[in-house]
């Protein structure tokens, strides 16, 4: 196994482009090292991106948008008061990952690129409209989070491409987001269903919404019908029922050791309602 | 074995000092199974079957053996063809077959070969070079399917004499017991309820994986260091499996990171020794968590039919149960235990119970606290709860009305001596928990539970030091704070402080035979032996004092750590403290020690009653346990904190078993959830504070009144939680675990 710790993303990209066999980037390593030790994936090339300047920075840009380095950890995000105020849903989704120890290592980018349909931060990022900067042999492009995963364990990144930053839009006024997941226990478990909701209000009326579902299809879903169900409403019971119905209709889950098709489909609707209510309350400036 | 010299007022017993091993454990100084190393040590690894059932056509180890780092490879051919030794018979063969597959791999994870190499990584890589040719056979993992006529036969001729003719060869033992006439009893009832229940297999879930260091020379002399609940059984079994003399293998038990019954047999120990013998170097073997799940432990899974008849006033007129237990690809599922315990809490005129031991393509079941009893209690206590609901009766009143007491003919045969079931029920009724209001969406459940408890072969030695301190050697690994209890009991007899007694779990070369730390026997049996060994030492101390004072030994008694004249006629001497006697013992007759060896028979059965509140989310089927109270008879709590720990542990493990823990097999017969991520034991935040009440109805069979407490605590939880969840959800849950998808489906079916 070859281990590299490049000083720039261009260098990381070149190393990956020229590597043969199985290549992995090493962010927090909470997926990579676990898979290595359990012999699921034994990389031939390991490219540690944590030595690149600025990878742990969390920056609020002049326009209110955020740029997160790809090695910024869950713990660093939760401890960032301003980020937590702007995007509580994204932060709480990341904070659900693993234990205190895992929080000290795990990253948004690792969670996204590991490609699990059940990844907790991904529906929250999709709902929030997050994009990532992708650096490759031909330069850097910006890609919406929902366009990265292509199936369990698979991403749209091509050989030699590495994510170099996470871009979260400006929150703006009268807006809120939330993420909820279902697990049979209270922590240290993997989402059976995950729902991210982000919305904006004009008075009591929802004017913008993005709803994303996790663990109910081969990739995290951005569900337009869910957004339509609540846009223009005051999140009244009828709108919530329509939201739940749209969420359940969008599900294309599997039966597995973690949950049945019927269960996931039903609970996606339940959680969509609950997450929407929280996002709505947050948009109104209420504590939720 | 009734004792007439039972003590009731205590100085040390009943206090709560820190456990002697506590500091070592919290500072990392304690040595567990994987913590021992030896010069020249090799690392072992085991190749395991990926098939649920397959004939092993050929194993080619040549490529692995050719590696420079590999020093030995073993297969079944490297184990002795076991000449049946007295007392070991059939089970012995089963253990060998489980430790290393013979002609067939019998379950996913069954060991088929092992290597020893210069590093753990090299050993793991070498496994990949071993070529095994399998002929895959049809498999079965479900208990009811394994009994069906078309089920694949796992081993022809494994059944014993007890199995009625016409049953499938996978049914290997049959048990039937009871008394009275159940049909007549059902005819007398105002309400007869019949229902069926199933439970999945669960793993003991000890945090420390199996680990050992083995050294065996060609001269047949060996050393073994391992994490185990019983090193003498490890010694006896390993010696037999390797064809060496028992006494030539010295086994030391490491500190143990949990066992719960799962470390009462051997898995990797004989393999490490076989590798060592071949390589002529020490070999360390440590299981991964996945190996622990796939190849050790679990409980049996169960399928059960219950029928109970009840009068309108709650009197049970008859009870009948059939219990089918699947225990993996070997005989041993505790169908008999399940049957015998199921109705043991009740005073019944008419009762009949039938138990089946069924084989399937799963790992060999191992004991897990009160093996077999929790499943039966789940089924029986669920039916009783449903009958209380239907007749509008209070569940504790109904249990009190039918409760077994001293003199009751137990459902499994004998008459009870003094028992404490009624006392636990009265304490439950009086506990504030039982009358606390429930919130909407919450339900309450109660259940009783019973376990036999066990005595077992026991040897203890106590040696006094010149300075008046004492070393106590016991042979039962400390799985729950027992060293503290032993020291308290010795302190009580000797009259010296707890801190002055060091308790060591001695190795097999130091003491006579000791049965495993199981059957809730340690505080009872090793405790009894400790008391007797200490009294033996006291006799000698009194002799020395008598000699010094020149009076008959009958005229000396032992009081508060001193020899004193037994009365005014004995003479006028100042009390002679223990340390004064031991200071001179070398010159007054030599070292002073006490010994005791026996198989105590008065373990004393044990009962408990649990109260549980549960809240069910009607939209997701998720259960939260909001309140839990354990009430159990401990006879006499030697160290109350560790008794409470056993109670709480039983409840915590029961919550896991009831709600989320289960073995999940795919269509291919392979275990799908062999890691803690998907095998869902409760995490700390899943549990409420578990309240405890220690009831003390002294056991007539122990000098201080002790009844074992280690197992009964896991008998009531499955039923108590199922009753709470069923009452909260408004629908009877008959399958464990009651995972959210199952509860949500039941809620939907119920409209
Ligand atoms: C105990 C435990 C509990 C967990 N609980 C959860 C949970 O509750 N929810 C959940 O969603 N996950 C959970 N996880 C999984 C894991 O922690 C998360 O997926 C985490 O976010 C991964 O981040 P990382 O930085 O550690 O990724 P790494 O392991 O470093 O990398 C993961 C993947 O991302 C790729 N990658 C990393 N950085 C880049 C980059 N810059 N560009 C391109 N590809 C990159 C790597 O090649 C690799 O394929 C858990 C893991 C553990 C060990």
């Amino acid at each position: 196994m070859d281990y590299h710790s490049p000083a720039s993303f261009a260098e990381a990209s070149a190393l990956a482009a020229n590597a043969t066999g199985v290549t992995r980037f090493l962010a927090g390593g909470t997926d990579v090292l676990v898979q290595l030790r359990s012999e699921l994936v034994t990389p031939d090339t390991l490219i540690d991106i944590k030595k690149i300047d600025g990878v742990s920075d969390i920056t609020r840009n002049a326009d209110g948008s955020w740029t997160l380095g790809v090695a910024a950890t869950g713990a660093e995000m939760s401890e960032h008061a301003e980020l937590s105020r702007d995007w509580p849903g994204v932060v709480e989704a990341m904070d659900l990952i693993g234990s205190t120890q895992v929080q000290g290592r795990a990253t948004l980018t690792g969670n996204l690129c590991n490609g699990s349909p059940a990844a907790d931060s991904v529906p929250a990022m999709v709902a929030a409209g997050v994009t990532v900067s992708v650096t490759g042999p031909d330069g850097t492009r910006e890609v919406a989070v929902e366009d990265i995963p292509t199936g369990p364990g698979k991403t749209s990144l091509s050989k030699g491409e590495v994510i170099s930053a996470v871009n979260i839009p400006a929150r703006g006024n009268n807006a809120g987001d939330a993420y909820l997941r279902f697990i049979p226990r209270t922590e240290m478990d993997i989402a059976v269903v995950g729902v991210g909701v982000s919305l904006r209000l004009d008075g009591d009326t929802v004017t913008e919404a993005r709803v994303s579902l996790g663990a109910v299809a081969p990739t995290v879903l951005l569900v337009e019908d869910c957004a339509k169900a609540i846009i223009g409403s005051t999140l009244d019971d009828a709108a919530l029922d329509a939201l739940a119905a749209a969420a359940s209709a969008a599900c294309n889950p599997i039966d597995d050791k973690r949950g049945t098709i019927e269960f996931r489909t039903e609970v996606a609707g339940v959680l969509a309602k609950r997450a929407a209510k929280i996002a709505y309350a947050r948009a109104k400036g209420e504590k939720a | 074995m009734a004792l007439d010299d039972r003590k009731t007022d205590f100085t040390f017993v009943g206090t709560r000092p820190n456990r002697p091993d506590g500091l070592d454990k919290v500072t990392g100084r304690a040595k567990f199974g994987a913590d021992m190393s030896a010069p020249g040590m090799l690392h072992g690894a085991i190749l395991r079957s990926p098939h649920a059932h397959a004939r092993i056509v050929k194993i080619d180890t040549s490529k692995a053996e050719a590696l420079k780092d590999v020093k030995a490879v073993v297969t079944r051919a490297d184990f002795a063809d076991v000449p049946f030794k007295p007392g070991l018979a059939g089970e012995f063969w089963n253990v060998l077959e489980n430790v290393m597959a013979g002609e067939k791999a019998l379950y996913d994870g069954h060991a088929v070969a092992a290597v020893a190499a210069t590093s753990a990584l090299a050993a793991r890589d070498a496994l990949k070079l071993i070529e095994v040719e399998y002929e895959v056979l049809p498999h079965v993992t479900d208990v009811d399917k394994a009994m069906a006529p078309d089920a694949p036969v796992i081993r022809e001729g494994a059944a014993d004499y007890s199995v009625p003719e016409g049953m499938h060869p996978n049914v290997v033992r049959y048990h039937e017991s009871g008394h009275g006439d159940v049909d007549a009893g059902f005819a007398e009832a105002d309400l007869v309820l019949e229902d069926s229940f199933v439970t999945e297999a669960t793993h003991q879930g000890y945090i420390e994986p199996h680990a050992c260091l083995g050294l065996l020379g060609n001269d047949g002399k060996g050393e073994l260091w391992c994490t185990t609940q019983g090193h003498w059984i490890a010694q006896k079994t390993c010696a037999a499996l390797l064809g060496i003399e028992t006494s030539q293998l010295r086994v030391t038990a490491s500190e143990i990171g949990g066992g719960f019954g799962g470390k009462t047999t051997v898995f990797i120990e004989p393999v490490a020794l076989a590798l060592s013998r071949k390589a002529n170097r020490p070999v360390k073997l440590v299981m991964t968590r996945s190996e622990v799940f796939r190849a050790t432990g679990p409980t049996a899974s169960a399928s059960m039919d219950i029928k109970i008849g009840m009068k309108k006033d709650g009197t049970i007129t008859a009870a009948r149960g059939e219990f089918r237990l699947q225990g993996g690809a070997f005989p041993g599922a505790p169908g008999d235990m399940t049957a015998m315990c199921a109705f043991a809490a009740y005073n019944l005129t008419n009762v009949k119970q039938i138990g089946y031991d069924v084989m399937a393509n799963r790992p060999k079941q191992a004991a897990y606290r009160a093996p077999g009893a929790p499943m039966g209690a789940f089924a029986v206590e669920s039916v009783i709860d449903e009958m209380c609901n239907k007749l509008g009766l209070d569940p504790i009143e109904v249990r009190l009305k039918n409760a077994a007491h001293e003199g009751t003919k137990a459902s499994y045969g004998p008459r009870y001596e003094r028992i404490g079931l009624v006392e636990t029920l009265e304490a439950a009724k009086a506990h504030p928990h039982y009358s606390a209001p429930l919130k909407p969406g919450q339900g309450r459940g109660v259940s009783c539970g019973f376990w036999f408890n066990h005595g077992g072969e026991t040897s203890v030695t106590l040696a006094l030091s010149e300075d008046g301190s004492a070393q106590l050697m016991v042979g039962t690994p400390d799985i729950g704070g027992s060293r503290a209890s032993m020291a308290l009991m010795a302190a009580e007899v000797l009259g010296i402080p707890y801190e002055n007694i060091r308790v060591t779990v001695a190795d097999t070369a130091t003491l006579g035979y000791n049965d495993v730390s199981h059957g809730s026997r340690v505080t009872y049996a090793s405790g009894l032996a400790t008391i007797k060994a200490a009294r033996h030492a006291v006799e000698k101390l009194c002799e020395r004092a008598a000699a010094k004072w020149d009076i008959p030994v009958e005229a000396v008694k032992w009081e508060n750590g001193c020899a004193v004249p037994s009365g005014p006629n004995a003479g006028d001497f100042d009390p002679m403290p223990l340390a004064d006697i031991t200071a001179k013992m070398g010159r007054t007759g030599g070292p002073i020690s006490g010994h005791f060896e026996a198989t105590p028979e008065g373990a004393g059965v044990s009962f408990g009653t649990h109260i549980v509140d549960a809240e069910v989310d009607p939209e997701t089927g998720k259960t939260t346990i909001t309140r839990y109270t354990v009430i159990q008879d401990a006879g006499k709590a030697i160290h109350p904190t560790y008794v409470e720990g056993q109670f709480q542990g039983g409840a915590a493990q029961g919550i896991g078993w009831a709600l989320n823990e289960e073995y999940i097999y795919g269509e291919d017969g392979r275990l799908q959830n062999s890691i803690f991520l998907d095998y869902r034991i409760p995490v700390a935040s899943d549990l409420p504070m578990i309240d405890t009440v220690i009831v003390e109805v002294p056991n007539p069979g122990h000098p201080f009144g002790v009844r074992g407490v280690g197992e009964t605590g896991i008998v009531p939880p499955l039923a108590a939680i199922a009753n709470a969840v069923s009452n909260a959800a408004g629908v009877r849950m008959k399958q464990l675990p009651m995972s959210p998808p199952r509860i949500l489906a039941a809620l939907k079916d119920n409209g």
Side-chain angles (χ1 to χ4, degrees):
Chain A
M1 187 191 304
D2 291 328
Y3 171 85
H4 304 279
S5 51
S8 70
F9 285 106
E11 197 188 324
S13 161
L15 283 164
N18 295 324
T20 52
V22 179
T23 301
R24 287 287 183 275
F25 294 102
L26 187 63
T30 59
D31 283 314
V32 168
L33 298 181
V34 172
Q35 289 162 11
L36 190 148
R37 287 199 56 160
S38 60
E39 299 197 295
L40 280 173
V41 181
T42 310
D44 300 296
T45 306
L46 206 51
I47 305 171
D48 188 344
I49 45 86
K50 287 191 294 296
K51 308 278 160 68
I52 300 172
D53 256 2
V55 283
S56 292
D57 293 352
I58 298 178
T59 313
R60 184 163 210 218
N61 303 312
D63 64 353
S65 68
W66 293 85
T67 304
L68 271 58
V70 292
T73 63
E76 286 162 336
M77 290 172 62
S78 301
E79 282 165 14
H80 201 294
E82 250 187 302
L83 178 66
S84 302
R85 208 175 314 125
D86 269 13
W87 293 101
V90 174
V91 173
E92 75 196 352
M94 190 63 206
D95 189 40
L96 285 174
I97 294 176
S99 56
T100 302
Q101 294 91 326
V102 170
Q103 279 292 308
R105 304 288 293 179
T107 66
L108 287 171
T109 309
N111 197 221
L112 173 62
C113 295
N114 183 53
S116 164
D120 279 307
S121 74
V122 180
M125 286 198 283
V126 169
V130 173
T131 65
V132 290
S133 304
V134 176
T135 302
D138 306 326
T140 299
R141 62 195 176 103
E142 195 162 328
V143 183
V145 164
E146 57 269 31
D147 293 332
I148 296 289
T150 54
K154 297 202 177 73
T155 69
S156 59
L157 299 178
S158 49
K159 190 169 162 71
E161 285 191 319
V162 55
I163 293 180
S164 47
V166 177
N167 314 302
I168 311 181
R171 178 65 285 190
N173 295 328
N174 307 320
D177 74 332
Y179 174 78
L180 287 178
R181 68 171 181 185
F182 183 86
I183 58 169
R185 294 181 285 187
T186 46
E187 60 174 347
M188 292 302 289
D189 213 325
I190 206 155
V192 182
V193 177
V195 179
V197 176
S198 176
L199 47 76
R200 191 180 308 283
L201 304 180
D202 181 1
D204 289 343
T205 306
V206 179
T207 56
E208 288 170 29
R210 283 169 68 92
V211 178
S212 173
L213 305 180
V216 294
T219 63
V220 170
L221 304 173
L222 174 64
V223 187
E224 301 241 352
D225 286 347
C226 285
K228 279 189 202 145
I230 54 172
I231 290 174
S233 81
T234 56
L235 216 63
D236 51 300
D237 287 348
L240 285 168
D241 287 344
L243 168 67
S248 294
C251 292
N252 175 26
I254 51 168
D255 265 330
D256 73 359
K257 60 196 169 195
R258 294 177 186 146
T260 59
I261 292 171
E262 295 74 31
F263 181 79
R264 290 187 146 112
T265 307
E266 172 87 18
V267 171
V270 173
L271 291 197
K273 285 198 212 181
R274 292 180 182 178
K277 284 192 204 166
I278 297 169
Y280 189 89
R282 284 174 177 166
K284 297 210 74 140
E286 292 159 15
K287 255 194 135 52
Chain B
M1 183 163 76
L3 299 159
D4 50 14
D5 54 351
R6 191 146 38 74
K7 204 171 149 85
T8 49
D9 55 327
F10 298 99
T11 308
F12 297 97
V13 162
T15 61
R16 301 171 182 249
N18 284 338
R19 58 198 293 165
D21 49 318
L23 187 65
D24 284 354
K25 283 180 177 161
V26 299
T27 56
R29 200 161 60 189
K31 286 202 197 64
F32 289 88
D35 290 332
M36 192 56 99
S37 295
M41 182 178 85
L42 302 173
H43 297 263
I46 296 179
L47 185 68
R48 298 183 179 278
S49 167
H51 304 293
H53 197 193
R55 190 171 308 288
I56 299 170
V57 181
K58 201 174 103 192
I59 305 182
D60 182 351
T61 60
S62 57
K63 284 187 189 144
E65 277 167 54
L67 291 180
K68 148 171 106 25
D69 291 336
V70 171
K71 304 298 177 194
V73 181
V74 298
T75 63
R76 178 61 174 271
D78 294 279
F79 290 87
D81 243 344
V82 178
F84 285 65
K85 277 200 175 181
L88 292 167
E91 178 56 10
F92 207 20
W93 185 88
N94 291 329
V95 173
L96 175 59
E97 189 70 9
N98 190 37
V99 160
M100 191 58 69
E103 287 168 17
K104 291 204 289 183
L106 297 168
Y107 57 90
D108 167 44
H110 198 171
V112 296
V115 305
T118 48
S119 73
L121 212 56
R124 214 168 73 169
D125 286 344
L127 290 185
K128 294 174 194 148
L129 297 177
I130 298 176
E131 289 163 12
V132 186
E133 192 185 319
Y134 293 102
E135 176 197 335
V136 177
L137 302 169
H139 67 270
V140 62
T141 55
D142 174 81
V143 61
D144 290 316
K145 287 184 186 149
M147 294 174 78
D150 60 346
V153 176
I154 290 162
R155 175 151 50 99
E156 211 53 86
D160 75 5
Y161 64 91
S162 65
V163 179
E165 222 157 287
M167 301 227 66
H168 192 283
N170 291 343
V171 180
V172 291
R173 284 186 309 148
Y174 175 86
H175 169 92
E176 192 182 314
S177 58
H179 54 254
D181 177 346
V182 285
D183 290 327
F186 289 129
E188 281 174 46
D190 295 316
L191 174 67
V192 175
L193 203 72
E194 220 176 328
D195 224 328
S196 299
F197 299 83
V198 293
T199 66
E200 237 322 323
T202 56
H203 197 276
Q204 293 78 352
Y206 30 81
I207 290 307
E208 182 198 25
H210 298 264
C212 69
L213 173 66
L215 175 56
L216 180 58
N218 287 317
D219 56 357
K221 291 196 172 72
E223 293 265 0
L224 178 69
W225 162 276
C226 60
T227 174
T228 180
Q229 287 175 248
H231 33 312
W232 274 269
I233 193 75
Q235 179 197 36
K236 182 157 88 171
T237 313
C238 289
L241 265 51
L242 291 150
I244 59 174
E245 274 176 17
T246 303
S247 302
Q248 298 300 342
L249 180 65
R250 178 186 185 196
V251 185
T252 307
S254 71
E255 289 298 337
I256 180 168
F260 310 109
K263 290 180 182 164
T264 53
T265 181
V266 296
F267 299 98
I268 54 174
E269 296 82 356
V271 181
L273 290 167
L275 285 166
S276 170
R277 179 161 62 182
K278 214 163 177 180
N280 204 19
R281 281 166 70 169
V283 174
K284 182 159 165 172
L285 256 172
V286 181
M287 276 192 174
T288 63
R289 180 58 56 182
S290 176
E291 288 182 286
V292 172
F293 276 117
R294 287 170 74 205
T296 74
T299 63
S301 63
S303 161
M304 303 168 284
D305 308 320
I306 306 297
K307 184 175 177 181
I308 295 178
M310 201 180 265
K311 293 258 197 210
K312 278 201 193 91
D313 69 353
T315 307
I316 298 175
T317 58
R320 187 182 192 284
E322 267 195 47
F323 307 90
R324 298 171 290 276
L325 275 84
Q326 168 288 128
F330 304 88
D336 48 356
M337 297 289 163
T338 308
M340 286 193 274
C341 294
F343 298 107
Y346 301 109
N347 180 9
L348 302 173
T349 318
N350 307 299
V351 59
K352 177 160 189 173
Q353 55 252 336
I354 293 170
Y356 299 89
D357 172 359
V358 184
M359 301 206 302
N361 294 111
R362 295 197 188 202
K364 188 177 193 304
Q365 70 87 39
Y368 179 11
R369 300 179 94 159
M375 301 82 146
F378 162 57
V380 168
E381 299 276 326
S382 290
V383 172
I384 292 177
D385 192 65
E386 191 61 32
M387 297 183 93
C388 293
N389 288 351
K390 286 204 152 66
L391 294 172
L393 299 171
D394 177 88
I396 289 188
E397 291 300 347
V398 167
R399 285 170 173 86
L400 272 171
K401 193 175 213 55
N402 295 287
H405 44 74
E406 186 171 357
T408 294
K409 182 172 168 57
S411 56
Y412 61 92
R415 282 196 189 279
Y416 288 126
E417 293 190 13
R418 185 77 177 89
I419 55 172
L421 173 62
V422 169
E423 286 79 354
T424 69
L425 281 162
E426 293 289 1
K429 197 166 86 175
H431 196 282
H433 182 172
Y434 196 59
S435 48
L438 288 166
K439 295 201 189 102
Q442 295 184 339
R444 180 163 295 151
V446 297
S447 172
C448 297
F450 159 85
W451 183 247
F452 303 100
N453 289 345
H454 182 56
E457 293 165 69
T458 311
S459 317
V460 161
T461 287
L462 180 137
L464 297 176
S465 303
E466 258 185 21
D467 61 0
S469 62
Q471 20 186 6
L472 180 66
M473 276 158 294
V474 297
T476 37
D478 181 352
I479 53 174
S482 59
R483 273 172 290 209
S485 299
M486 297 306 133
L488 284 170
M489 286 185 266
E492 192 70 51
V493 177
L494 296 174
I496 61 172
Y498 167 84
E499 293 74 19
N500 292 11
I501 299 167
R502 173 154 183 162
V503 185
T504 300
V505 178
D507 64 58
T508 57
T510 311
L511 268 185
Y513 191 85
N514 274 277
D515 197 356
V516 178
S517 294
H518 70 164
S520 303
R521 76 178 210 88
V522 174
T523 310
Y524 167 70
S526 283
L528 180 147
T530 294
I531 292 165
K532 300 242 174 178
R535 285 179 181 168
H536 188 208
V538 163
E539 281 170 29
K540 294 179 188 174
L541 289 162
C542 290
E543 282 167 16
R544 301 289 165 99
K548 168 99 183 161
W549 291 331
D550 199 18
I551 60 175
V553 67
E554 297 78 43
V556 179
K557 64 178 183 176
W558 193 254
E559 232 173 51
N560 300 323
C562 299
V564 292
S566 61
N569 295 339
D572 186 14
F573 302 105
D574 285 341
M576 190 182 292
L578 183 143
D580 287 1
I581 303 174
T582 54
K584 301 189 189 89
M585 66 186 172
R587 280 169 281 136
T588 59
I592 299 176
S593 303
H595 303 274
F596 185 79
E597 294 91 20
T599 303
E601 302 282 0
V605 301
S606 152
F607 292 89
T609 300
H610 291 198
I611 315 172
V612 184
D613 294 352
E615 191 168 312
V616 174
D617 180 339
E619 290 186 319
T620 65
K622 182 169 169 166
T623 298
T624 308
I625 304 297
T626 53
R627 189 166 180 181
Y628 204 119
T629 305
V630 178
I631 301 137
Q632 188 178 315
D633 176 16
K636 174 69 201 171
I638 300 297
H639 191 304
T641 303
Y642 301 146
V643 170
E644 288 158 2
Q646 293 295 317
F647 290 7
Q648 292 171 320
Q653 289 184 309
I655 289 170
W657 195 339
L659 296 183
N660 285 306
E661 290 182 41
E662 64 178 317
Y663 265 51
I664 304 173
Y665 281 93
E667 287 292 313
D668 58 2
R670 299 188 64 181
L671 183 62
Q672 299 202 332
N673 57 334
S674 67
I675 50 170
F676 273 134
L677 179 60
D678 291 313
Y679 181 87
R680 290 163 157 146
I681 64 169
V683 296
S685 50
D686 290 339
L687 303 174
M689 178 61 201
I690 297 162
D691 204 356
T692 56
V693 177
I694 302 175
V695 168
E696 294 185 321
V697 176
N699 169 22
H702 185 276
F704 295 169
V706 167
R707 290 176 205 273
V709 296
E711 292 170 292
T712 302
I714 205 169
V715 183
L718 309 188
I721 296 162
N723 292 340
V725 167
S726 299
N727 291 329
V731 48
R732 179 60 52 186
M733 297 303 298
K734 301 173 193 171
Q735 183 179 4
L736 297 186
M738 297 175 286
S739 58
R742 287 208 183 107
I743 292 182
L744 198 60
L747 286 168
K748 296 240 146 199
D749 287 349
N750 206 34

